[in-house]
Amino acid sequence: MQSPVIQVHHVCKTFGPLRAVNDLSFEVPEKSCFGFLGPNGAGKTTMMKMLYCRALRDKNNGSTINVFGYDPEKQPLHIKYLSGVVPQEDNLDEELNVIQNLMLFARFYNMPFKKARARAEELLDFLELGEKSTALIRDLSGGMKRRLVIARALLNQPRLLILDEPTTGLDPQVRHVIWDKLRQLKKQGTTLLLTTHYMEEAFALCDTILVLDRGQKVLEGPPKQLLADHIEDYVLELNEAGIDVTDSEAIPAQVRIDAAGPTRRFYCSDIDPLKTVADQLPLGTFFLRQSTLEDVFLKFTGRTLNETQ
């Protein structure tokens, strides 16, 4: 059993009347990818900030946070030297070029010039930015900027890489490039901790997912296990308003109907009963597919992953 890199027990964080994180506990094993999945405002970023020393947890009995055995409130520098952070915003210096951004950041770690230069060039090649080393930040695409922020976070060869929604707003091709690089980092022994509201991203990268809603843990476990334990295999989505089959006696008994929100969904572990339902519907008014993590989230919260609180 791998030892935990992060240990969080009974952590809360309030902002006035808002409780952004509510009695949250979890552990992150080393050399794994652990993901927070949830809608905007679920508390994902707030929990991240407490881990990398940007926010203080509430003082409540039994509340503890340990990162590599260090408390973020008491030993922040120890954690920062062992971690790399990719924030939501691409906070690069637009007056500098690509390599200058990395060299400037390396000075925070007191890296000798030659070592920093070699490390920067190595990371640019790794993230497929080698040909852009002298390009100005303002001339880079969104995907290139995102990869440069990841390169910057890796300068100090961190044992823990914290990524806050690393692919938000990127096109699918760039997103898959970043996923491939993150998988390579994990194989090399880096522990990954990421937040996302992309169900596909969580399923593709994470060994363990913690589903958050309104600051509370809803579910936790390996993504395939969450699907196997908590949702039927197939779903039929009725996407046309004004069509109602929920009262039809022709719906097989084993079909579960979920009418939460504007879209009605019919779930079943066997696809044939759902085809029976589909036969009652006009073409173009429904979509028959395999279930996903978003269906699991909807079942437990009544809201979609992309819904803002």
Side-chain angles (χ1 to χ4, degrees):
M1 183 98 180
Q2 294 175 327
S3 59
V5 167
I6 298 171
Q7 295 174 303
V8 172
H9 299 295
H10 304 295
V11 167
C12 298
K13 180 62 179 179
T14 54
F15 298 96
L18 173 66
R19 176 156 286 192
V21 176
N22 189 4
D23 194 27
L24 190 58
S25 299
F26 62 91
E27 293 188 349
V28 179
E30 64 178 349
K31 302 178 183 179
S32 70
C33 181
F34 189 99
F36 293 114
L37 181 66
N40 294 326
K44 306 185 302 295
T45 296
T46 299
M47 186 62 247
M48 289 286 220
K49 287 182 176 179
M50 287 188 281
L51 290 172
Y52 62 79
C53 319
R54 287 286 302 277
L56 301 178
R57 66 184 181 274
D58 291 350
K59 300 297 184 183
N60 55 295
N61 291 334
S63 170
T64 60
I65 298 178
N66 286 291
V67 182
F68 297 108
Y70 300 115
D71 186 329
E73 293 188 21
K74 299 176 181 177
Q75 299 149 312
L77 289 180
H78 292 77
I79 294 172
K80 289 178 180 179
Y81 269 96
L82 293 169
S83 306
V85 178
V86 178
Q88 284 188 27
E89 307 82 14
D90 295 335
N91 53 352
L92 299 162
D93 191 329
E94 298 211 350
E95 300 303 315
L96 302 178
N97 65 26
V98 167
I99 193 73
Q100 288 170 341
N101 264 270
L102 296 183
M103 294 300 291
L104 177 64
F105 199 75
R107 295 179 65 181
F108 291 109
Y109 294 98
N110 294 319
M111 296 175 67
F113 180 85
K114 288 185 178 180
K115 180 180 178 181
R117 182 79 186 199
R119 178 64 176 163
E121 292 176 351
E122 174 190 352
L123 289 170
L124 291 178
D125 288 340
F126 174 68
L127 288 157
E128 301 178 20
L129 291 170
E131 295 181 356
K132 296 291 183 178
S133 62
T134 60
L136 291 175
I137 300 304
R138 66 174 69 97
D139 295 329
L140 300 181
S141 67
M144 290 177 182
K145 290 179 182 179
R146 207 66 187 135
R147 281 181 278 155
L148 181 56
V149 172
I150 294 174
R152 187 183 64 184
L154 293 170
L155 272 172
N156 60 322
Q157 296 182 302
R159 292 170 56 192
L160 170 66
L161 182 62
I162 298 173
L163 306 111
D164 196 356
E165 300 190 6
T167 63
T168 297
L170 301 182
D171 63 63
Q173 183 179 11
V174 175
R175 188 176 300 157
H176 280 271
V177 169
I178 291 177
W179 290 357
D180 181 60
K181 300 305 179 184
L182 294 179
R183 291 189 190 100
Q184 291 182 48
L185 288 170
K186 191 180 75 168
K187 287 181 180 179
Q188 294 168 11
T190 305
T191 302
L192 306 178
L193 179 68
L194 70 89
T195 71
T196 183
H197 59 264
Y198 291 142
M199 166 276 306
E200 183 185 4
E201 183 163 89
F203 194 86
L205 294 177
C206 296
D207 300 294
T208 303
I209 292 171
L210 192 156
V211 180
L212 277 173
D213 185 35
R214 296 181 175 90
Q216 291 185 303
K217 181 194 298 187
V218 177
L219 291 170
E220 182 180 1
K224 290 183 180 179
Q225 194 67 47
L226 294 180
L227 280 173
D229 291 349
H230 297 291
I231 202 72
E232 297 88 344
D233 293 335
Y234 301 99
V235 57
L236 184 147
E237 289 188 357
L238 182 58
N239 51 35
E240 187 75 19
I243 298 176
D244 189 5
V245 295
T246 56
D247 296 326
S248 173
E249 295 181 358
I251 296 178
Q254 63 266 49
V255 173
R256 179 175 65 87
I257 302 172
D258 188 337
T263 302
R264 279 164 293 168
R265 296 173 175 85
F266 303 81
Y267 291 92
C268 191
S269 290
D270 185 352
I271 198 170
D272 289 332
L274 293 180
K275 289 181 179 178
T276 300
V277 177
D279 289 340
Q280 306 174 52
L281 303 171
L283 291 176
T285 64
F286 63 89
F287 179 40
L288 184 57
R289 59 174 173 80
Q290 288 186 304
S291 297
T292 68
L293 286 173
E294 186 158 353
D295 295 300
V296 176
F297 188 88
L298 183 64
K299 178 180 179 181
F300 282 86
T301 69
R303 302 189 301 123
T304 64
L305 284 168
N306 293 320
E307 183 178 340
T308 302
Q309 298 194 66

